[in-house]
Structures are given as structure tokens and as C-alpha cells.
């Protein structure tokens, strides 16, 4: 089966309740995704707290592109492409550091940390050459939302705020879990590679149908209350914010429990320092409300997944090769909570994680599975007839319904059809 | 400092212990492997180098004794999908050295190379291992095992067998 020649007819591959298996494993489609999604729309790159001081830098990526995120002398964040403007050599070979400039080891061309070419060896050979046109490449647009830095290679298009749309509110909800209103990304990343298409990861993040089965081995032995959140009787909901952003909103279940920090499997008595700082920051009533509701479970299209206590960044490398970068979220001004966030995250995620190793096994088996010729389609019709909408007009469904997948594919199709 | 004779005896006992541990891991003898731990055991597989602070930065595994137990219980359910079917494994343990003493425990180091065959593919893993061993009721037990994978700065495939 080879449908590549017809791949521009996206409506033949993407229907309201099903998508074609080739979307996950056709290398030509992957190339088209790089052009129409990864090198066009807003993609999460890094967090401002990863480069707190002037001249700090950290190695990041947009898909297969190697990006250097720097904070320059003026304090501005830059997303530079790791490619010398002379012969293409990579100018940065370290994961992080502090550098006012990057010197290419090949012919000693030197670039300031805002990308400007500031010098080259034996300059007399370049008489008449204008340095201004020979800087490092930039990600065309760079914008931040509450410390989260996104990049877009498109010179024009929606602003980041427009792209985030209704999902921006989930990030607001996240940062207010800190007594100082800020998230920090300071715990280092685990990098978990899977031989599977990136969209299996993307769709699974807000799939509330799988936990009871994929994670039964850990729910059964860990005395975990997570399982009931995803049960048939759960009042939690799935939500499609549009623009590909999707959420599992667990607040209805947490509000039923009405216990501060129950969302985090703990209570006020066990995190007394955090609790008192929250009350001091927000007042008793609002602090209690925040601590009952918990943090969001939201997938910001196409690559930023905030999973209550941790953050994943999805990086596609090829149609069958992806990396999940994952770290514990850290809340500014919450040391006792942060320790627990790291401990729980380390147990759950990464290559040996008690949860994510099993998800990743499903990604790889799905990837091999869709290579089978029949039945060709992935069926995403669960809950289609009981879809509703919330007060803001966003589509919602039962926690186990496939509202998120349908929303992701609706947006995907619009991006792939755009010229 | 141990005499030459007692050092050779200890080396022999330590080597036998490490080979036994490797066999329990390769053959998925989860309970037998768990029984090798002391009550205060720490099982650590760092990420991003050998000398990160596991209390501040993410590790691939940083299990205290109760989380070691949880990890084993999960494997024993038979529903740990990434190990159902189990990886087929064999490892070579080598370069065993006695590294002195650490708060009364016997410090030991070794290298290991592991071959894993799983549904995904065949994967080679290589590591530096650091142990703290202790005699309890005449038997050697592990109080600490640190496994520094040679490639732990890179993106790694799922690592769900006992390393």
C-alpha cells in the first residue's frame, strides 16, 4: 500500500472519526509534517528559568533541528540554529553552559550569543564582506508565555497568545500552584527514546481510556487513587481547546474529594511549609481552592505536555523515531513540595519509569501494528455521540472519550492543508 | 588494610556475589534479587553523567528500599507490559575491584556489558557499577548499587529489566 502520491488529499486520510494508518509511518508524510507543523506553527522550545543569567545557554531542539537557547547580555532570549554560517559546522557541542560567544572550531568564526558574527580568522581575506549578513540562523519568531518559550519559523501567522487560545488558562492554573506564581525547570531532563511515531505520544497524553489497562500493574501494587480518576464512573472530562490543544480536566473528581493536595496524593499536614506559603500568598480561601483543584493535565500542540507534576517535550526525529524529554516541574518558593515532585516524577517517567515505560511499550507496538495492511484505519469514534460543550464553548466528553484525538486531528488536517 | 590472603578471600566472595546478582537479573529472578538488598538499600541509575546530585536532579532510577520493593512487585504482577514478554538478557561482569571501605561497608566496582533482546530490537547496554556490600548474618548483601550507563547523556530506549 503506497498512498504517498495522494498525500495532498488530507481529507482522504483524516475523517471525523478515523484516520489512516499511513499517517503514522509514511516517511513522506513525516517530511510534510516537518514543513507544515514543526517549521511553521508555534513549538515549545525551553523555559526561561533554564537560562537564568546573562550568557547562559542550553541545547534545545525543534524536531530534528538543533537549537541553542541563549540569554544575551541584554537579558533577551534568543533561539539560534546550531550551524556555522561559513561551512555548516555545529558551533555548540555542550548541553549547557555560560558563554558570551560561540567560536566554531573549524575556521574560528566567532558569534556573539545573540547570533551576530563578530569575527573570523585572517580577516584580510574577507575584504568587502558584510558581517551583518553572516550571523547564525534564528528561529524567526520567539515569544514566551509565563516563562515558557516558544519558537516559530514562520515570519507571519497567529501570535503565541492566539495559538494558545483557551489553553493559555491551563498554564495560568499551573503557575498559580507556586506561592510565587512561577514554575522553574531546574531538575534536568530524562531523555526517553521510542521507535514510534510522535503522534502516538501526542494522542496518548490526553487519552483517558488507557490508564486502567496500561497502568494496572502499578495501580494495583502502589495503593494509588489514580485509577478511579479514569474509571467508567469518573466525573473527570476530556476537553478540546482547538488549535490541537487538549486536556483531561480532573477537577470535578478533586472537587468531589474536597481535600487540599489530594490531587498530589498528600495533604496539608505533610507539606506544612508549602501550605503556609500558599495561604500567605493567596489568602486562605483561594489557597484552598488552588490546592483542591491541583495542576492541569494538558497537551499543548504539538509538543508540550504538562502532566500535573511533570513536563514532557516531544521531539520527532523520523517517522519511527521520537524522544520524550521529561522533567519534574518545580514551583518557585516551594522547597518541600519540589522534593516530592522530583521523587514522584523519577519513579513514574523516563526509560525505567513505573508508568511511562509501559506507555512507551504501547507506542512501539502500535507503530509496528499499523504497518499491517488491514483494516487500514485507526478508529477514534469513542464518545462521538455524547460530545458536549462547556460554558466557554469548547468540546468536552467523558474522561475515557476520544474528544482529544479528534481535536488533534482536526487541527492537524487544517495545518497540513494550509499552503 | 587487609592481608594478601584475606584480600584474596574477600575478592573471591565478592566476585561470586556479583556473578550471582547478574544471574538473578538476567533470569528475572525478581524475589531472589530483591533479597540481596539490605533494609537501607539505595539503587541508583543516574542520567546525564556520573556525578549529578540525585537529590536535586533527575535520575533514571533513584530507588530507596521501599521503591525497590514496589518495582519488584510491579514486575511480579505479570502485567508490566514492557516486560511481558520478558527481555532476554545476558551480561558480562568484569574488571571487579575492591575499592576500600565506605562507612564500614565494602566498596566494590565493576564494569558490565549487557545484551538485551526485546520486542523492539536487540540493544547493547554498558555500565560502570559501584557497590557497597555488607555482611549480614554471614552473607554479603547490597546496601548501595550505582549503575552509570556509558551513554546516559543520550536519549535511551526503555530500560525496564533489572540493570
Amino acid at each position: 500500500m503506497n498512498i504517498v502520491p495522494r498525500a495532498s488529499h488530507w481529507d482522504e486520510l483524516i475523517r471525523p472519526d478515523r484516520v489512516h494508518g499511513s499517517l503514522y509511518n509514511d516517511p513522506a508524510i513525516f517530511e510534510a509534517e516537518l514543513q507544515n507543523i514543526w517549521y511553521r506553527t508555534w513549538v515549545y522550545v525551553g523555559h526561561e528559568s533554564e537560562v537564568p543569567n546573562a550568557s547562559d545557554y542550553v541545547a534545545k531542539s525543534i524536531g530534528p533541528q538543533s537549537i541553542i537557547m541563549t540569554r544575551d547580555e541584554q537579558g533577551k532570549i534568543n533561539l539560534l540554529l546550531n550551524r556555522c554560517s561559513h561551512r555548516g559546522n555545529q558551533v555548540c557541542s555542550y548541553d549547557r553552559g555560560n558563554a558570551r560567544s560561540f567560536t566554531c572550531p573549524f575556521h574560528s568564526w566567532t558569534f556573539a550569543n545573540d547570533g551576530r558574527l563578530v569575527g573570523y580568522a585572517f580577516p584580510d581575506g574577507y575584504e568587502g564582506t558584510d558581517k551583518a549578513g553572516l550571523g547564525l540562523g534564528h528561529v524567526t519568531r520567539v515569544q514566551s508565555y509565563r516563562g515558557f518559550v516558544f519558537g516559530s519559523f514562520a515570519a507571519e501567522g497567529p501570535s503565541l497568545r492566539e495559538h494558545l487560545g483557551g489553553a493559555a488558562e491551563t498554564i495560568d492554573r499551573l503557575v498559580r500552584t507556586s506561592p510565587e506564581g512561577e514554575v522553574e525547570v531546574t531538575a534536568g531532563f530524562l531523555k526517553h527514546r521510542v521507535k514510534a511515531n510522535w503522534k502516538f505520544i501526542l494522542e496518548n497524553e490526553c487519552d483517558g481510556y488507557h490508564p486502567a489497562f496500561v497502568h494496572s500493574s502499578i495501580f494495583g501494587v502502589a495503593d494509588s487513587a489514580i485509577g478511579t480518576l479514569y474509571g467508567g464512573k469518573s466525573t473527570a472530562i476530556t476537553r478540546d481547546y482547538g488549535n490541537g490543544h487538549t486536556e483531561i480536566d480532573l477537577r470535578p473528581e478533586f472537587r468531589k474529594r474536597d481535600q487540599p493536595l489530594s490531587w498530589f496524593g498528600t495533604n496539608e499536614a505533610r507539606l506544612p511549609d508549602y501550605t503556609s506559603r500558599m495561604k500567605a500568598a493567596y489568602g486562605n480561601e483561594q489557597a484552598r481552592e488552588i490546592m483542591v483543584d491541583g495542576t492541569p493535565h494538558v497537551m499543548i500542540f504539538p509538543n508540550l505536555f504538562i502532566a500535573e507534576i511533570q513536563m514532557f517535550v516531544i521531539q520527532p526525529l523520523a517517522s519511527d523515531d521520537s524522544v520524550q524529554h521529561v522533567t519534574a516541574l518545580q514551583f518557585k518558593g516551594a522547597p518541600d513540595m519540589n522534593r516530592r515532585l522530583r521523587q514522584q516524577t523519577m519513579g513514574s517517567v523516563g526509560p525505567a519509569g513505573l508508568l511511562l515505560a509501559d506507555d512507551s511499550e504501547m507506542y512501539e507496538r502500535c507503530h509496528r501494528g499499523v504497518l499491517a495492511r488491514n483494516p487500514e484505519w485507526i478508529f477514534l469514534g469513542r464518545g462521538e455521540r455524547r460530545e458536549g460543550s462547556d460554558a466557554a464553548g469548547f468540546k468536552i466528553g467523558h474522561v475515557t472519550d476520544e474528544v482529544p484525538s479528534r481535536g488533534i486531528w482536526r487541527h492537524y488536517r487544517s495545518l497540513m492543508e494550509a499552503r | 588494610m587487609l592481608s594478601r590472603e584475606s584480600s584474596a578471600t574477600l575478592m573471591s566472595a565478592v566476585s561470586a556475589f556479583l556473578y550471582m546478582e547478574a544471574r538473578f537479573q538476567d533470569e528475572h529472578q525478581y524475589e531472589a534479587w530483591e533479597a540481596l538488598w539490605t533494609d537501607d538499600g539505595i539503587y541508583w541509575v543516574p542520567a546525564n553523567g556520573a556525578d549529578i546530585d540525585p537529590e536535586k536532579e533527575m535520575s533514571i532510577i533513584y530507588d530507596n528500599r521501599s521503591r525497590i520493593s514496589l518495582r519488584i512487585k510491579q514486575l511480579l504482577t505479570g502485567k508490566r507490559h514492557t516486560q511481558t514478554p520478558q527481555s532476554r538478557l545476558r551480561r558480562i561482569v568484569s574488571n571487579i575491584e575492591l575499592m576500600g571501605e565506605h562507612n564500614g561497608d565494602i566498596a566494590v566496582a565493576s564494569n558490565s556489558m549487557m545484551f538485551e533482546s526485546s520486542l523492539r530490537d536487540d540493544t547493547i547496554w554498558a555500565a560502570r557499577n559501584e557497590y557497597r556490600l555488607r555482611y549480614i548474618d554471614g552473607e554479603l548483601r547490597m546496601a548501595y548499587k550505582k549503575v552509570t550507563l556509558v551513554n546516559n547523556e543520550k536519549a535511551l530506549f526503555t530500560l525496564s529489566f533489572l540493570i
Side-chain angles (χ1 to χ4, degrees), chain A residues 231-254:
Chain A
K233 294 196 175 108
S234 171
T235 55
I237 56 176
T238 45
R239 180 176 289 115
D240 168 14
Y241 281 108
N243 290 349
H245 311 312
T246 58
E247 180 185 25
I248 292 181
D249 189 347
L250 299 165
R251 285 175 295 176
E253 284 291 304
F254 296 140

Side-chain angles (χ1 to χ4, degrees), chain A residues 117 120 126-135:
Chain A
L117 175 62
Y120 26 51
Y126 288 120
E127 206 178 327
T129 303
D130 182 10
K131 282 200 191 107
L134 287 170

Side-chain angles (χ1 to χ4, degrees), chain A residues 187 191-193 342-343, chain B residues 55 58 67 153 156 158-159:
Chain A
K191 290 162 275 185
H192 188 180
R193 187 174 170 197
R342 292 191 299 270
Q343 293 297 333
Chain B
E55 293 293 335
M58 300 284 292
R67 193 166 278 170
E153 311 212 13
L156 300 174
T158 292
L159 175 61

Side-chain angles (χ1 to χ4, degrees), chain A residues 187-193 213-214 217 339 342-343 345-347 351-354 358 364-365 368, chain B residues 47-48 55-59 61 67 71 74 77 79-82 84 119-120 153 155-159:
Chain A
F189 280 85
L190 297 181
K191 290 162 275 185
H192 188 180
R193 187 174 170 197
F213 316 104
V214 173
S217 64
R339 182 171 191 282
R342 292 191 299 270
Q343 293 297 333
T345 297
M346 269 191 273
L354 302 179
D358 288 319
E364 292 179 339
R365 291 189 197 181
R368 296 193 298 272
Chain B
N48 303 310
E55 293 293 335
K56 299 215 166 106
E57 293 172 85
M58 300 284 292
S59 290
I61 294 175
R67 193 166 278 170
R71 192 174 291 280
Q74 185 187 26
T77 63
K79 291 188 249 169
R80 172 65 157 161
H81 300 292
T82 167
T84 314
L119 290 179
R120 180 199 326 103
E153 311 212 13
L156 300 174
F157 287 119
T158 292
L159 175 61

Side-chain angles (χ1 to χ4, degrees), chain B residues 111-130:
Chain B
N111 291 348
S112 60
M113 189 160 251
M114 291 143 278
F115 188 92
E116 178 193 20
S117 182
S118 69
L119 290 179
R120 180 199 326 103
D121 206 344
D122 297 342
T123 311
I124 293 170
W125 304 86
R128 177 68 167 171
N129 306 303
E130 293 164 62

